[in-house]
């Protein structure tokens, strides 16, 4: 990706940032890069994610997916990092292969409707849970399995599992002889897009998963110790520096429908990695040009606590707007929809700059496997760099454990003291 | 809806709010209610939205939709408020009727893929633009029209228009004798869900649009001058008061897949209405339980600048998790997925409270037309009340005009000085 920070460095922004400040910060970027490089060399927890382009064995993925090459649908059963990477990749790459669906919630109506809409005998099911005990994922999988049985479909022929070396899902795979993949060691779920966790649906759809990793590898080889010649670090450092100066919100706004889930993936990466110790930017998902008609008023005229990240592919498909007899619309006739989208991007970027809202332009060449792999990799590197600058534990998510224990306790899955707090809720109802 | 603000009023929150402060604020709520009531009486711009349950003539909507009762798909071509209300309603009500698709972006690949996936002869097209000149909407419509012509489908048989009394779309409807509906007078786009703008797809799908309006009307009749006995005002006042004390972010997190678009609709309502004069909460869309595995870490452990709004229906469909031979998962067997979702909601709510993050519980009885109409109406009333308390012009969106002029200028649709600013962009590219 290319990162254009020109509209961060202009004088009238709030918050503002200048090159002198960035040069000072670059010394810390150099030190952080050393730390990251060491972590990679030693395959330390979390840092190991940046080695995935080398360590992921795509032949194992292809082999596990081979039985499903004729499937018309692939269903990911997973939640959080076990779903978002796969969703991002298959949505971005599109194509005519199997349709990708995701069960990442436990809404009974939604699960039922989705399963009823699928031709189960032609559906590959990818169940993903490192521990093999994630309540939402396993509950959904038990439902899927039974639904297949009732429909006379042998679920063991349709299921591929990605899990840790131990746990109920691993044992289930072994006892039923299911194709099974290992979640990578030392890689937190949200950093797993470029591993077995994220690649299975793309492989079943027939996408070139090697190109994804090649794109990422090229960026892995070019991480350097200065934000001024490393786009990933430029992004991470600028986001950090703007946050320190008051941009507590980071709006991720791709201009491509195929990148809608990318913004969701980014939001998890950013929120769960950096939202710690009372700090961390709040990621806000948006979509250009659609959300110009929804959120732009706030970004331009609301509180000066935001940076906006605008993302676009330089090349995209073409679709010409027909010439028209309608006078007021004549200027649209003969234009390409992509030209229109490009003009909207340029106009929004300039309108944010005119309002003094710092914004970053990220461009990729086109939305293909190689460029997508590079984009995901560089955003992960940006996040890890930002984590070093914040001085937080980038790779953990301790604050979610409280709720997990409470939910498990409420469902009778053990004794947990958090359950008492749920019962004591203070109520003040207006009805 | 019921609004439970118990977890806003607990002592250890940051930001915190107490009943004494709310009682003081309630005097201003009373005055604001008078202003709103006057606006409704006089059908003033914006306030007229709160009269829609009375003023919307559903028989005209049904009549305009009658030719499309056998359609298998309905395609809304619109953007912002011209799409989000319709999307919210049809997604929330679900059902087996025509599938609802939305063209609310100008991405050539997406528009092409979507049109290729539709059986055009069985597709009703609803084009929505008050001015009849919205670039994205009209460009897409010109493409849709030509695509139908090329496929040998008479687009004039498939199209229904909702627009203002004048403009190119109105003239087009007249010259081709298309069924045409009026956008309501005095109602900004984002407040139009309960009008012709939002109801057409639901009517084609066979939903009970009268029940939607009846549900809304019941809430219209119960708007009172105190936040302590009016849920809509309770929500609007508490959001305002928390923002004034530092909760610049409002996370809207429904626990129902059918309400995912509702959060998007809310985000437009809140951002475009209140994001003014350097203030206004930043709405963040989330979805329970999914985003517990993505955003909750940040909400609990990040900056204390948030309130979280948790929404759920009390009743929902049922889907039982089968009993299982897998030891660690035995506690899930025999449970309903809805029970699981309910436990996740309760656990998340308590976990936010335990972390001192103010949160509001909104409950509706069930996700049907009547309750949905009430929910949308009450959120609009909440927003209008908040606008009075902020003292902003709730019903305008002046900050988006700059970009619209720039984009139009870039596309050769006229001379606009904003175009010069686009050309002068300062670049600083890291690659």
């Amino acid at each position: 990706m290319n990162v254009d920070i020109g509209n961060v460095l202009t004088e009238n922004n709030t918050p503002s940032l200048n090159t002198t400040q960035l040069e000072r910060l670059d010394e810390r970027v150099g030190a952080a890069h050393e730390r990251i490089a060491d972590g990679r060399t030693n395959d330390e927890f979390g840092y190991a994610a940046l080695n995935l382009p080398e360590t992921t064995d795509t032949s194992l993925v292809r082999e596990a997916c081979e039985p499903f090459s004729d499937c018309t649908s692939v269903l990911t059963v997973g939640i959080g990092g076990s779903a978002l990477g796969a969703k991002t990749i298959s949505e971005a790459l599109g194509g005519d292969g199997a349709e990708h669906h995701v069960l990442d919630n436990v809404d009974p109506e939604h699960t039922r409707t989705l399963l009823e809409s699928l031709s189960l005998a032609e559906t590959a099911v990818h169940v993903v849970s490192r521990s093999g005990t994630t309540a939402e994922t396993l509950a959904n999988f038990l439902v899927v399995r039974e639904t297949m049985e009732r429909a006379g479909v042998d679920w063991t022929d349709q299921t591929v599992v990605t899990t840790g070396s131990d746990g109920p899902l691993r044992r289930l795979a072994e006892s039923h002889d299911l194709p099974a993949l290992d979640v990578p060691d030392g890689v937190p779920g949200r950093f797993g897009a470029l591993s077995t966790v994220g690649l299975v649906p793309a492989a079943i759809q027939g996408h070139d998963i090697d190109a994804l990793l090649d794109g990422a590898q090229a960026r892995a080889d070019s991480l350097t110790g200065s934000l001024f010649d490393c786009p990933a670090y430029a992004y991470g450092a600028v986001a950090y520096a703007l946050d320190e100066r008051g941009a507590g919100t980071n709006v991720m706004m791709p201009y491509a429908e195929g990148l809608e889930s990318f913004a969701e993936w980014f939001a998890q990466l950013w929120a769960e990695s950096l939202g710690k110790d009372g700090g961390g930017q709040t990621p806000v998902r948006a979509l250009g040009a659609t959300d110009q008609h929804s959120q732009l008023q706030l970004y331009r005229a609301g509180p000066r606590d935001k940076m906006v990240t605008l993302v676009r592919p330089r090349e995209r498909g073409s679709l010409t707007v027909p010439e028209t007899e309608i006078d007021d619309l004549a200027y649209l006739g003969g234009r390409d929809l992509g030209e229109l989208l490009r003009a909207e991007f340029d106009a929004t970027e300039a309108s944010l700059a005119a309002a003094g809202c710092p914004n970053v332009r990220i461009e990729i060449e086109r939305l293909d496997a190689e460029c997508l792999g590079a984009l995901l990799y560089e955003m992960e590197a940006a996040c890890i760099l930002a984590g070093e600058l914040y001085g937080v534990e980038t790779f953990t998510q301790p604050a979610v454990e409280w709720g997990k224990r409470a939910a498990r306790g409420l469902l009778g899955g053990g004794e947990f003291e958090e359950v008492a707090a749920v019962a004591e809720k203070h109520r003040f109802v207006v009805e």
Side-chain angles (χ1 to χ4, degrees), chain A:
Chain A
M1 65 186 191
N2 282 358
V3 174
D4 182 348
I5 56 172
N7 278 354
V8 167
L9 300 173
T10 44
E11 271 176 20
N12 299 322
N13 282 346
T14 309
S16 73
L17 188 64
N18 61 43
T19 40
T20 312
Q21 291 164 330
L22 274 187
E23 280 161 10
R24 228 163 25 228
L25 181 61
D26 202 36
E27 291 171 29
R28 293 179 57 201
V29 170
H33 174 64
E34 293 302 314
R35 175 73 193 90
I36 293 169
D38 281 354
R40 288 178 64 189
T41 303
N42 302 316
D43 256 332
E44 283 178 57
F45 182 75
Y47 302 99
L50 295 180
N51 294 333
L52 283 174
E54 278 181 278
T55 55
T56 299
D57 186 340
T58 53
S59 68
L60 292 178
V61 176
R62 277 193 304 271
E63 189 186 323
C65 294
E66 208 280 319
F68 311 110
S69 55
D70 291 336
C71 283
T72 55
S73 297
V74 49
L75 177 65
T76 293
V77 185
I79 196 166
S82 296
L84 282 170
K87 190 173 163 190
T88 300
I89 292 170
S90 61
E91 181 184 297
L93 299 183
D96 300 327
E99 277 193 24
H100 186 211
H101 301 274
V102 177
L103 264 185
D104 61 354
N105 205 352
V106 281
D107 181 316
E109 282 145 37
H110 176 69
T111 298
R112 179 199 307 282
T113 308
L114 177 58
L115 292 180
E116 281 172 0
S117 76
L118 296 176
S119 168
L120 295 174
E122 300 175 301
T123 298
V125 179
H126 184 213
V127 197
V128 191
S129 167
R130 175 186 293 272
S131 65
T133 61
T134 313
E136 297 90 340
T137 301
L138 275 294
N140 269 325
F141 176 60
L142 292 172
V143 169
V144 169
R145 197 170 73 152
E146 188 190 53
T147 307
M148 283 189 157
E149 278 169 1
R150 284 193 185 164
V153 174
D154 185 348
W155 66 272
T156 65
D157 286 343
Q158 307 295 129
T159 304
V160 51
V161 161
T162 296
T163 189
S165 56
D166 196 12
L169 205 50
R170 173 64 59 181
R171 292 194 295 278
L172 186 82
E174 285 167 357
S175 65
H176 294 279
D177 204 21
L178 309 176
L181 291 160
D182 299 320
V183 291
D185 280 337
V187 178
R190 61 186 170 277
F191 287 90
L194 298 172
S195 76
T196 50
V197 172
L199 297 176
V200 167
I204 292 173
Q205 291 174 317
H207 291 300
D208 186 349
I209 58 175
D210 289 296
L212 265 165
L213 295 185
D214 289 346
Q217 183 60 47
R219 305 318 303 178
D221 294 336
S222 68
L223 291 181
T224 71
S226 168
L227 72 91
F228 294 105
D229 49 33
C230 173
Y233 290 167
Y235 185 72
V238 162
Y240 163 77
L242 284 172
D243 185 15
E244 293 289 299
R245 287 163 178 78
T249 295
N250 186 347
V251 178
M252 175 53 72
M253 190 169 185
Y255 275 66
E257 287 274 327
L259 290 175
E260 193 169 9
S261 291
F262 163 75
E264 202 180 335
W265 171 86
F266 171 84
Q268 182 196 20
L269 184 73
W270 223 245
E272 233 172 34
S273 302
L274 307 175
K276 275 154 201 175
D277 306 339
Q281 281 186 321
T282 300
V284 170
R285 297 178 277 141
L287 181 69
T290 309
D291 283 325
Q292 294 171 199
H293 296 257
S294 164
Q295 306 298 305
L296 188 58
Q297 165 70 32
L298 172 74
Y299 303 159
R300 291 195 81 223
R304 312 328 312 250
D305 61 353
K306 292 177 187 64
M307 64 177 279
V308 178
T309 306
L310 303 161
V311 185
R312 71 173 165 195
R314 286 212 187 92
E315 296 170 18
R316 57 173 101 228
S318 164
L319 189 55
T320 307
V321 181
E323 302 289 348
T324 172
E325 78 281 12
I326 308 166
D327 262 2
D328 295 350
L329 308 176
Y331 76 101
L332 295 171
R335 298 277 177 180
D336 195 277
L337 277 194
E339 237 182 305
L340 184 46
L341 193 50
R342 188 174 185 87
E344 303 270 6
F345 181 106
D346 291 341
T348 298
E349 181 184 58
S351 88
L352 290 166
C357 176
N359 61 89
V360 177
R361 179 199 289 191
I362 292 180
E363 288 183 325
I364 61 173
E365 207 49 43
R366 68 192 74 78
L367 208 45
D368 63 9
E370 200 173 331
C371 294
L372 181 68
L375 178 65
L376 298 179
Y377 187 88
E378 291 187 286
M379 279 296 164
E380 292 180 8
C383 180
I384 293 171
L385 185 274
E388 300 295 329
L389 297 176
Y390 282 108
V392 294
E393 286 195 9
T394 307
F395 303 113
T396 60
Q397 53 286 333
V400 304
E401 295 306 322
W402 197 104
K404 281 191 191 174
R405 285 192 300 270
R408 187 164 174 136
L410 287 170
L411 291 165
E415 298 285 327
F416 298 96
E417 61 184 4
E418 288 82 358
V419 170
V422 176
E424 283 158 16
K425 176 181 167 7
H426 179 57
R427 288 175 63 82
F428 189 112
V429 181
V430 181
E431 53 193 331

